[in-house]
């Protein structure tokens, strides 16, 4: 199997104006087209995507730990608006300008928050955690997920306490137990599984799951931002076999975001980001003026 992930080219921490730290990792050329990455549930900045592709496309991929995960300082009670403000500050401090943004899995609503706040120039939502608390989905959710969603809405503090009981091994088991054979072929690749499990271990490295718990309650509650106020270009990507991220593979989500384009890719599920990084990034770069201005070598086969 072709390499799906590589170690970061650069890693570091940036101090925000209020003194908190944000941990980050970068791949690709330092002067490349900035693409900000909001990673999936409980993973640190270490797990990137597009091995070889980011270099060929001239992308500077920047993955960031959300507060309480990895190397980022906890921020109890944080909101989506707080996260967007953190990303705005990071973009200024790291000279990213107004980047394109990729949100994967649980990172998707955080990427949407950046778009609604004007931080993102364009957006790719890949295997996106959908707004499962939306009334339209109430009858479509499995009983267990419906109960958790109702709890997150009704009793967010209690839901956070419940999710704070998770750890890296529990997350790995949940991913593996809910994956199709096509996805498992990706996750069981020795290099990928080592990188994924290390990113999970780093995600919980601060000795508690409070960061993951806060993310999960925010993602599973009603989203506070207006999707019809998102005016940047948005591409929504789902694997046809994905049964875990959205009840309808983003069909309703696409109708709620003006001009959003939905792509459903056959032969894969939730591992789509790592098997189809090239079309995701190529489509995203069409909306970035730096990508249009810079000559690039073609993606390697």
């Amino acid at each position: 199997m072709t390499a799906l992930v590589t170690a970061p080219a650069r890693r570091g921490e940036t101090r925000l104006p209020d003194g908190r730290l944000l941990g980050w990792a970068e791949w690709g050329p330092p002067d490349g087209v900035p693409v900000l990455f909001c990673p999936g549930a409980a993973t640190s900045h270490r797990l990137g995507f597009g091995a070889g592709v980011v270099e060929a496309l001239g992308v500077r991929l920047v993955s960031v730990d959300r507060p309480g995960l990895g190397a980022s300082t906890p921020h109890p009670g944080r909101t989506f608006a707080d996260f967007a403000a953190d990303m705005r500050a990071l973009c200024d401090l790291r000279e990213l300008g107004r980047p394109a943004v990729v949100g994967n899995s649980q990172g998707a609503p955080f990427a949407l928050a950046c778009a609604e706040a004007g931080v993102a120039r364009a957006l790719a939502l890949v295997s996106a955690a959908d707004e499962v608390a939306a009334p339209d989905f109430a009858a479509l959710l499995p009983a267990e997920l419906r109960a958790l969603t109702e709890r997150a809405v009704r009793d967010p503090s209690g839901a956070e306490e419940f999710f704070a009981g998770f750890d890296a091994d529990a997350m790995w088991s949940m991913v593996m137990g809910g994956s199709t054979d096509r996805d498992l072929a990706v996750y069981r690749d020795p290099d990928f599984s080592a990188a994924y499990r290390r990113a999970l271990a780093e995600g919980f490295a601060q000795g508690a799951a409070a960061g993951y718990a806060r993310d999960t309650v925010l993602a599973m509650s009603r989203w506070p931002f207006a999707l019809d106020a998102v005016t940047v270009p948005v591409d929504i990507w789902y694997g046809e076999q994905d049964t875990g991220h959205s009840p309808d593979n983003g069909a309703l989500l696409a109708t709620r975001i003006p001009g959003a384009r939905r792509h459903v890719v056959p032969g894969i599920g939730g591992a789509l980001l790592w098997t189809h990084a090239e079309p995701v990034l190529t489509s995203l770069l069409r909306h970035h003026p730096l990508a249009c201005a810079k000559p690039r070598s073609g993606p390697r086969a």
Side-chain angles (χ1 to χ4, degrees):
M1 180 183 289
T2 303
L4 300 171
V5 291
T6 55
R10 298 167 294 278
R11 299 179 71 191
E13 298 172 357
T14 294
R15 190 170 298 278
L16 297 174
D18 66 2
R20 288 181 295 117
L21 294 174
L22 288 180
W24 51 264
E26 293 190 3
W27 293 258
D31 62 346
V33 179
V35 174
L36 185 67
F37 180 40
C38 299
T43 54
S44 76
H45 61 254
R46 176 180 293 275
L47 188 66
F49 68 96
V53 175
V54 294
E55 292 82 5
L57 292 178
V59 166
R60 177 188 175 190
L61 181 67
V62 184
S63 178
V64 183
D65 290 333
R66 290 186 287 279
L69 295 170
S72 290
T73 306
H75 187 186
R78 61 187 163 86
T79 65
F80 283 118
D82 291 331
F83 177 77
D86 284 351
M87 294 305 99
R88 188 186 304 278
L90 180 75
C91 289
D92 289 342
L93 293 166
R94 298 286 302 153
E95 298 183 347
L96 301 179
R98 191 177 173 211
V101 178
V102 176
N104 180 57
S105 187
Q106 196 174 86
F110 293 93
L112 276 165
C114 289
E116 197 249 3
V119 176
R121 183 182 298 276
L123 196 60
L125 304 177
V126 186
S127 306
D130 211 333
E131 189 182 7
V132 290
D136 312 71
F137 289 144
L140 301 179
L141 301 180
E144 183 178 3
L145 177 57
R146 184 168 62 250
L148 285 174
T149 301
E150 291 172 352
R151 183 174 184 181
V153 172
R154 182 184 68 253
D155 179 20
S157 296
E160 278 196 49
E161 185 177 350
F162 169 77
F163 289 118
F166 282 60
D167 60 17
D169 288 338
M171 291 300 301
W172 176 255
S173 296
M174 185 167 63
V175 170
M176 298 298 281
S179 296
T180 65
D181 289 343
R182 291 293 184 92
D183 289 339
L184 288 173
V186 174
Y187 299 146
R188 287 173 175 161
D189 172 75
D191 291 336
F192 185 89
S193 63
Y196 197 165
R197 299 204 69 166
R198 186 167 183 180
L200 285 171
E202 288 185 354
F204 290 98
Q206 299 191 43
Y212 161 70
R214 184 62 180 166
D215 280 357
T216 303
V217 169
L218 288 172
M220 293 185 71
S221 301
R222 291 306 308 269
W223 296 348
F225 37 80
L227 292 177
D228 60 3
V230 175
T231 58
V232 301
V234 178
D235 283 276
I236 299 173
W237 298 81
Y238 283 93
E240 186 179 41
Q241 299 176 7
D242 189 346
T243 60
H245 288 104
S246 170
D248 62 359
N249 272 1
L252 176 63
L253 182 61
T255 67
R256 297 174 65 195
I257 303 173
R261 298 192 306 165
R262 176 173 169 256
H263 314 262
V264 179
V265 180
I268 194 63
L272 175 69
L273 181 65
W274 295 283
T275 60
H276 289 73
E278 182 180 327
V280 168
L281 287 171
T282 299
S283 180
L284 188 63
L285 290 177
R286 294 193 183 106
H287 308 300
H288 201 297
L290 286 179
C292 298
K294 285 188 176 186
R296 302 190 306 269
S297 60
R300 61 181 195 180

